[in-house]
Amino acid sequence: MHSGLDNSNELVLNAHMLRIFGVALLSAICCLAQDEKPAPTIPELETAAQGVYMHGDYEGARQSLLQAWDLAQQLPREDPIRYDVLKRLATVRAAVGEYEDADNFLQLAISWREQNLGPDDPKIPDDVLLSVEYARSLKDYDRALWTMNRVIRLHVEPAIKAGASPREAMNTIAVADDHSRIAQIQMELKKPEAAMGSLKTALEIRTKLKGPLDPSLMYDLDRMAGIEVTLRQYDQAEETYRHALVVRETLYGKVHGDLLGTLDGLAYSLFGEKKYDDAEPVYQRLLALWISSMGTDKHAMVAIALDKMAVFYAAQKKWEESREAETRANAIRAYLLAEGLSEEAAQRIEEGTMAEAVPIYKRAEKILDPPNDVYDEQRGTIQNMQKELEKVLNKPPSKSPPPTKK
């Protein structure tokens, strides 16, 4: 009898111990569950990626976005967050120059739009244009050109499907922009004649839609004129630069810094044609505009403009005018160098190493020789500074009076 009672008590004890162990195990599991943080969501990962991306941590952004992409692939294929993550990954990879990797993500994003929104989705051309830029960055210009032809089709085909004629579908600003981009790629491929044809098409479309004085023409005109100068087609370049100048003057007036490049190109084109009488006032206007734009006649760009004028006059054997322009250009450069040396000497004085400032001032003074009205005033200032500094350095130390005897 005692044996049966003992067994019963042992069973009760074991059951009690199991309950205690179960409660302890459950409590431990609950504690572990409380300590574990929930896995981040895709929006949280995207926000984290954006935060570190804006601080230049592109690798950190990539890691967060790759986690987001792992989660996005578990979502339904039609979920737009898949596209958003892929576009962000493309941007992050491009930021570190990994254009091939960026384009791989971009192509997946484009494929998502095509499959879920259809091939006529209006945002697809913009994504394909981004692929063009990646190809250009990789110097894969043939692929960039092929992709641009695809962009044109993407811009034209929806209009044709809507009932427009092929000519009407081609006459849009989007297509004009496409031809401008194609021209840039053709120049990168060293095909200037082909680039001129593309620019001509772009300009014809813009002129038809916007008129001959629309600001959107300026940049294509600049590129066209630049190619014409490269090919030494100076007469055509003159006409193109004059057109660009009229557009800019209509927009900005006759005294504006945005005219500088056009005036420079026009002057050079007239010079190339040997239309010296026409070119000289353009060069003079260019020089005056540089001075007014820089706010001083002692600027490096003013010196460069004078260099060009010196060459222009020398080509006509106008030696005096050429020498005068080149002398003034060199005087401006001497002025600027002496100004920099003066600042260096002043820094030495401020540091307390006055003796080091003296040879710097002497070097600046030597540069400002021979005399020239461009820098004569500056030369006098430097000489005075040098003399005052030498006085301080050569002044004997003051002797303290002897102590008085008590």
Side-chain angles (χ1 to χ4, degrees):
M1 291 182 65
H2 290 291
S3 177
L5 181 60
D6 291 342
N7 290 338
S8 176
N9 289 336
E10 186 176 352
L11 289 172
V12 171
L13 181 60
N14 288 340
H16 180 66
M17 292 300 294
L18 285 172
R19 282 198 299 270
I20 292 174
F21 178 75
V23 170
L25 180 61
L26 181 61
S27 176
I29 292 171
C30 290
C31 289
L32 286 172
Q34 289 175 358
D35 289 340
E36 287 182 0
K37 295 181 180 179
T41 64
I42 294 177
E44 288 171 344
L45 288 166
E46 288 185 319
T47 300
Q50 181 69 13
V52 296
Y53 181 84
M54 295 304 294
H55 286 85
D57 183 3
Y58 302 133
E59 179 57 26
R62 183 179 79 95
Q63 293 298 333
S64 293
L65 289 171
L66 285 174
Q67 292 180 55
W69 177 234
D70 287 340
L71 294 175
Q73 291 180 86
Q74 301 172 26
L75 299 174
R77 289 186 177 274
E78 65 274 11
D79 195 312
I81 204 165
R82 294 167 69 103
Y83 169 83
D84 185 57
V85 174
L86 288 167
K87 278 296 295 290
R88 289 172 183 263
L89 274 166
T91 300
V92 167
R93 299 308 287 150
V96 293
E98 294 292 340
Y99 299 109
E100 189 170 350
D101 199 22
D103 196 51
N104 289 334
F105 287 118
L106 180 62
Q107 295 306 320
L108 289 172
I110 293 171
S111 178
W112 183 92
R113 297 200 77 88
E114 291 173 334
Q115 293 174 14
N116 292 281
L117 302 175
D120 293 335
D121 177 68
K123 288 190 176 181
I124 290 177
D126 291 338
D127 285 346
V128 179
L129 278 172
L130 189 56
S131 181
V132 172
E133 293 309 309
Y134 292 162
R136 290 177 67 185
S137 297
L138 290 166
K139 301 188 185 304
D140 190 348
Y141 301 124
D142 289 323
R143 181 161 68 91
L145 197 58
W146 180 87
T147 308
M148 275 307 312
N149 289 323
R150 180 188 174 193
V151 173
I152 289 181
R153 290 195 301 273
L154 290 170
H155 282 146
V156 169
E157 287 174 357
I160 293 176
K161 289 179 181 178
S165 68
R167 182 179 294 275
E168 290 171 336
M170 289 291 291
N171 285 326
T172 65
I173 293 299
V175 174
D177 291 342
D178 292 340
H179 283 288
S180 296
R181 294 186 184 97
I182 287 173
Q184 294 176 51
I185 298 168
Q186 288 166 332
M187 284 301 296
E188 289 162 344
L189 283 166
K190 312 297 183 187
K191 296 180 178 180
E193 292 85 357
M196 286 179 64
S198 298
L199 287 171
K200 184 178 179 181
T201 300
L203 286 165
E204 287 173 351
I205 294 173
R206 295 188 200 282
T207 302
K208 184 174 182 178
L209 294 175
K210 297 286 189 175
L213 297 178
D214 189 76
S216 67
L217 275 68
M218 291 190 299
Y219 304 107
D220 285 342
L221 289 168
D222 290 342
R223 295 186 185 106
M224 176 74 86
I227 295 171
E228 289 165 344
V229 167
T230 300
L231 297 175
R232 298 186 179 183
Q233 298 174 357
Y234 298 119
D235 55 340
Q236 296 179 38
E238 177 196 348
E239 183 179 349
T240 307
Y241 275 125
R242 288 193 184 280
H243 187 174
L245 184 61
V246 170
V247 174
R248 282 189 163 88
E249 288 177 338
T250 302
L251 186 63
Y252 301 117
K254 287 185 172 292
V255 183
H256 191 280
D258 203 72
L259 276 61
L260 286 164
T262 310
L263 287 170
D264 196 349
L266 177 58
Y268 186 77
S269 300
L270 292 165
F271 182 12
E273 293 180 88
K274 295 183 170 51
K275 292 183 177 179
Y276 301 128
D277 291 341
D278 292 335
E280 185 168 13
V282 181
Y283 274 117
Q284 293 291 351
R285 183 181 173 187
L286 176 66
L287 177 62
L289 187 55
W290 270 120
I291 292 171
S292 64
S293 297
M294 296 299 102
T296 176
D297 61 352
K298 299 169 185 175
H299 191 278
M301 293 309 301
V302 176
I304 291 173
L306 287 164
D307 288 336
K308 293 177 180 180
M309 294 180 70
V311 173
F312 168 71
Y313 286 125
Q316 304 170 67
K317 294 183 170 47
K318 292 185 176 180
W319 307 119
E320 184 176 350
E321 290 89 340
S322 178
R323 189 180 301 110
E324 181 181 350
E326 197 57 57
T327 299
R328 186 178 170 194
N330 288 329
I332 292 170
R333 280 186 277 268
Y335 173 90
L336 294 172
L337 178 55
E339 187 178 58
L341 289 169
S342 295
E343 291 175 1
E344 183 181 350
Q347 180 67 31
R348 295 291 189 278
I349 294 171
E350 190 174 343
E351 292 171 0
T353 55
M354 291 187 291
E356 294 180 9
V358 175
I360 298 174
Y361 277 129
K362 287 182 177 180
R363 182 185 171 196
E365 183 183 359
K366 187 176 182 180
I367 287 167
L368 302 178
D369 189 57
N372 189 291
D373 59 357
V374 170
Y375 52 64
D376 281 346
E377 183 179 349
Q378 182 194 38
R379 190 169 190 268
T381 301
I382 289 173
Q383 287 175 335
N384 290 335
M385 286 295 297
Q386 181 185 332
K387 289 176 182 178
E388 291 298 320
L389 186 58
E390 287 175 335
K391 283 182 183 179
V392 172
L393 291 170
N394 295 329
K395 185 178 180 181
S398 58
K399 295 181 180 181
S400 57
T404 56
K405 295 183 179 180
K406 293 183 179 180

